[in-house]
Amino acid sequence: MKPVMPERVLERMRRLLGEEGALASGQRVAAFPASPGEVGAVLRIAREEGWTVDPRGGGTADGEGDTPGAGAADLIVSSSRLGELVEHEPADLTFRAQAGLTVAALERRLAEEGQWLALDPPGGGRVTLGGMVASGVAGPLQAQFGRPRDQLLGVTLVDGSGRILVLGGRVVKNVAGFDLVRLVAGSRGGLGVITEVVFRLYPLPGDDRTLVWGFDDPLEAWEQGRALASLPLPLAAVEWLDGDWPEPLDGSGPRVLVRLLGSEEAVAGMRRVLEGVAGPPDRAWAGPESRKVAAAIAAGAAEGTAILRLHALPGEGAALLALVDQLAADRAALHLLGGTLRVSTRPAPADSTLQSMRAEAGRSGATLTVVRRGAREGGTGTEGPKSDFTGFSPPVAELHRRLTHEFDPGGILPGSWREAWSGEGGWVAAGKAGTRG
Amino acid sequence: MNSDTLPPEPALLERLRSAVGDDGVFTDPDRLLVYESDGLTQYRHPPSAVVLPRTAEELGRVVRVLHEAGRPFVGRGAGTGLSGGALAVRGAVVVGTSRMNRILELDPVNRRARVQAGVINAALTAAARPYGLIYAPDPSSQSACTLGGNVAENSGGPHCLKYGVTNRYVTGLTVVLPDGEIAELGGMGREDGGLDLVGVFVGSEGCFGIAAEIEVALVPAPLGVRTLLAIFETPADAGRAVTRIMARGLLPAALEIIDSATIRAVEASIFAAGYPTDAGAALVVEFDGVEEGLDREIEIAAECCSAAGAREVRTAADEEDRQGLWRGRKKAFGAMGRLAPDLLVQDATVPRTRLPDVLSRIAEIAARYELQVANVFHAGDGNLHPNLLFDRRDPDQVRRVEAASGEIMACCIEAGGTITGEHGVGLDKRKYMPMVCSSDVLVTMAGVKAAFDPWGRCNPGKVLPDGIGPRHQGAGRR
Ligand SMILES: Cc1cc2nc3c(=O)[nH]c(=O)nc-3n(C[C@H](O)[C@H](O)[C@H](O)COP(=O)(O)OP(=O)(O)OC[C@H]3O[C@@H](n4cnc5c(N)ncnc54)[C@H](O)[C@@H]3O)c2cc1C
Ligand SMILES: Cc1cc2nc3c(=O)[nH]c(=O)nc-3n(C[C@H](O)[C@H](O)[C@H](O)COP(=O)(O)OP(=O)(O)OC[C@H]3O[C@@H](n4cnc5c(N)ncnc54)[C@H](O)[C@@H]3O)c2cc1C
C-alpha cells in the first residue's frame, strides 16, 4: 500500500524540522532530524500516519541509494544531521558521538590523540557509526577485536513509539540490568533509530604491518591461510582475498593477508613465526601504508553491483569457496578466523543461481545473505529480496515478535515491515506490518 | 521457614521425580539449607524444593512441569554469586545444574567448545589447555563457579581488561524458556539475521530462562607472560600508576590493586604472600602475548610505577614467583573472612581516570559511618570492590553498612560510573536501579523480560525494582 498523503506528511515534517529538514521523492519522504527529540517527534508522526520507516546512515547497504532498500519504506529517517563527536576522553579511552558521524571521520580525529576505534567495517568512507552498529558488521579486524557489539559501551535509541532510551553507559564493565545495548547492536533499525553511541578505544599500536602471500590456486591460498590462522599467535586479521582489489593492493588472484599489531618487538616476533610456516611474504606494508591496505579492502568490497555474504564455521571455509565458484566474482574476501565470505559480483547473479546456491549452502550448514541485490538483466534492481534468512524456529520467531512489539508497538520499523515487503526476511509475521489499511 | 516458602504438593513432586529420577528432587529442610544463600550471605531464604536435571531434555521437562503448575523457579549453578541472584524467593523452586557438568564438544579447529551449563569455569580451560587453548574470562571464583552462572552474570575477571568479559565469548546457547520450550540461540558458523538473542540472554541474571548448554569461543593460550608487583604508600598512587601505564599506549592483560586493609588480612592468613604489611596498596601488572617485547613492556610499566611513587617493584623471575605475586590478589576474598564475621562485597565501575578521586571519597564515607572498608579491584577496567566489614548480628552496623553502600553507589554514579561491573543486580541492588536507568528504560527492561517470561515466574523478584512492569500488560502472551 502506498501512503495516501505524502504532502501532508511532508508538511508536518517541515513544520517540525524546517524547510531543509524533509524532502519528498515521489510518494516517499526523507526526514533529517538533528536531535533525539526531533527523531522522537518524527517517529510519532510516522506512527500516527501509519507510515513505515527505515533509518538510514551512509546508505552503503543500498549501493548508491537506487537499489532495493531505498524505495521500500514510506519514510527514510536519516542520521546525516547527527554528526557530532560529543565527547572524547583520551585518558579513559572512550568517546561518545552521534550516530551519523562516519567511522572514517572519527578515526581521523582519534588518530590526533594516538588512539583508534579498532573496527574496520566494509563499506568505505560513508559508513556511519549508527549504520555499523545497526548492521553489526565487522571487517578483517574481527579476528582480534570482535564485532561492533564487543566494543560498544552505550547507545541512545529512539524507539518506535518515540521514547528516548539511554542504554548502557561509558564504563567498560557494566551489568546494571538487562543488556539492551547488545540487543540494539545488529538490530538493523528494527528496534528504533540510534542517535548516539559510546565506544571503547585502544591506543594506536607501536607497529602495524600487513603481509601478503600470493598463490595460483584459491584453495591452496585458503589452506595456507588457515595454517597461519591456526598458529597460537594474536593475529589482528587473517584474510583470504581473490580478484582485483584497489591500490595499494595491486595485482589479482588469490592471496592471503595477515595484519600484525603491537609493539615493534612483538610484531617482528610474530612475523618470524609466520615466515617459518609460509616463507617470506611477497609484499609487506608498514604503518600508514598498512592502514591504507585495510581501507582499500573496506572500500573495495563496497564497489560490487551485487554483494553476497556467506557464513560457515571458520574451518569449513573451503565449502564456501566451492559454492561461489559458479559466480563470476570480481572480488571475494574471506575472514579466515571468522568464517564470513563476502563476494562482489558484476553483473548481478540470476535468481536461479541464487536459489541453487542457497539450497547448496543449506545442505552444508552454511548461510547465504544477499547484502545488495543489484540490477539484473530485464530487472530494475528495485525489487526484493534484499536479504534472506534461514528462518527462525517457532520459539525464536515468537521471541522476535514479542521483542519487536515492545519497541515498536505500531509496527512501523523494519523489523515489522521488512517481511511484508520482500516476502521473506522480516522478524514479524506478514499482515501485522503497518497500521494503514 | 519463611512465609513464602511453599513445599510443592505431592502430585507436583511426583511429576518432578518422574522427570529427573528420585535422587534428583528433594525437599527436606536440612538439604535445602545449602541453597538458602549465595556468596552474599546476608540474604538467606531456603527454596521450596530443589530439582537437579542431568540433560537439556530433563531440564526442559522440569521447567514445563513447573510452568504447568504455575510454580516460580530459579536456576542455580555453584551459588558463588554475589548479588543474591540465585535465592529462591516467592515460593520458588531451585533448578540446579550441578548434575549438568559434561563438556559436550571440544573443537580445536574452530576454537570452540560446547558444554553443559553446570561445567565449572576452570574445568573448561583445563580441558582446552592440551590443545593450546583457553577459555578467557577468569573470575576469581573460577575454580567453583559454573559457565551457566557466568552467562547469567556476564562475569568478568582479572584478565578481562585485555580479553573482554563473558559476552565476548559466548557464541551460542541452548536455553529452556520459562514455559519449558527448548530454543537454540545463535551458534558459531550460523546466522539467522535476527536480533542478538545470545547477547541479551548473557547478563539476564537467570530471569529469561535457564541455559542448558553453552557454546563458547576459545583463544590460544598466550605464549609468554610477565608479571610485576609494585608497592605504594596509598591506593591513589597505585591508581595514578595505572593511568600512566595506560597513557603509554600499553594494553596489559591485568591491572589489579589491593589496599592496605586487604594486604594485612592476606598476610595474617594462611595465604600470606609476602606483601609488606605497612604498604598502602599493591598493584599487580601482567602482560601476555608472544615472548618478544614482553620484557620491554614490563620495563615501561615498572618505570610508570616508580614515577607514580612506588617504593618497591618486584618482577616475577619464574612461574612459581609469578603465582606468589598473584597469591595476595587471588586469596583476598578468602582472607577477608577473618577480619570480621561478615563482608559486604561491593561492586561498581567508574571511568578509570576517576579512580584516585573515588577511592578517597569511599574512604571518607566509610570513616564517617565508622566502618572498615577493604578494597580489591580490577583497576584497569575501573571496576571497584570496596568491601565493607561488619557483624550482621548488630542491627546498627547493618544499618550503617546499608547507608554507606548507598552513598558509595551515588558517588560512583556521580563520577560517571555504574552500580555493578560484574556481580549483577540480583536482589541486592534492585533499589539502586532507578539511580542509573530512567523509568522508560526500566519499563523497557521489564518489557524485554516479559518477552521471554510473560508469566513472571522465572527468577522472580530480581533485577528490577518492585512496581516496575512492562507497559504492554499481557502483550507478550499468546
Ligand atoms: C561489502 C559490503 C559488505 C557488507 N556486508 C554486510 C553484512 O554482512 N551484513 C549487513 O547487515 N550489512 C552488510 N553491509 C551493509 C552494511 O550495513 C554497511 O556497509 C554499513 O556497515 C552500514 O553503514 P551505513 O552508515 O552506510 O548504513 P546504511 O547502509 O545507511 O544502513 C545499514 C542498516 O542500518 C540501519 N541503520 C543505519 N543507521 C541507523 C541508525 N542511526 N539507527 C538505526 N538503524 C540504522 C539501516 O536501516 C540499515 O538496515 C555490507 C556492505 C558492503 C558494502
Ligand atoms: C570469592 C569470589 C570471587 C569472585 N570473583 C568474581 C570475579 O572476579 N568476577 C566476577 O564477575 N564474579 C566474581 N564472583 C561472583 C560469582 O562467582 C559469579 O557471578 C559467577 O558467575 C556465579 O556463578 P555460579 O555458578 O556460582 O552462579 P550462581 O551463584 O549459582 O547463580 C548466579 C545467577 O546465575 C543464575 N544462573 C545460574 N545458572 C544458570 C543457568 N544455567 N542459566 C541461567 N541462569 C543461571 C542464577 O539464577 C543467579 O541469578 C566471585 C565470587 C566469589 C565468591
Side-chain angles (χ1 to χ4, degrees), chain A residues 35-42 44 158 164:
Chain A
S35 67
E38 287 187 358
V39 173
V42 164
R44 279 192 295 272
V158 182
I164 300 170

Side-chain angles (χ1 to χ4, degrees), chain A residues 54-61 122 127-128 131 134-135 137 189 192 194 301-302 309 342 371:
Chain A
D54 203 7
R56 177 68 46 86
T60 56
V127 173
T128 61
S135 48
V137 289
I194 298 165
R309 173 191 163 96
R342 289 197 177 84
V371 175

Side-chain angles (χ1 to χ4, degrees), chain B residues 75 77-82 85 140-141 145-146 149-150 152-153 155-156 205-206 211 422 459:
Chain B
T80 67
L82 289 170
S140 307
S141 52
C145 65
T146 66
N150 295 169
E153 302 291 1
S155 300
E205 301 201 22
E422 58 180 20
N459 205 3

Side-chain angles (χ1 to χ4, degrees), chain A residues 73-97:
Chain A
D74 304 326
L75 178 70
I76 300 289
V77 178
S78 165
S79 63
S80 63
R81 295 218 284 184
L82 292 162
E84 293 295 310
L85 175 58
V86 185
E87 219 172 67
H88 174 212
E89 190 52 71
D92 280 328
L93 291 165
T94 59
F95 76 87
R96 183 157 68 92

Side-chain angles (χ1 to χ4, degrees), chain B residues 3 27 41 57 108 118 151 210 213 224 232 266 274 321 323 402-403 437 443 445 469:
Chain B
S3 57
T27 54
T41 48
E57 291 67 36
V151 163
I210 302 182
E213 295 173 8
F232 294 87
V266 170
D321 224 20
Q323 295 296 343
E402 185 69 9
C437 296
V443 166
M445 284 184 184

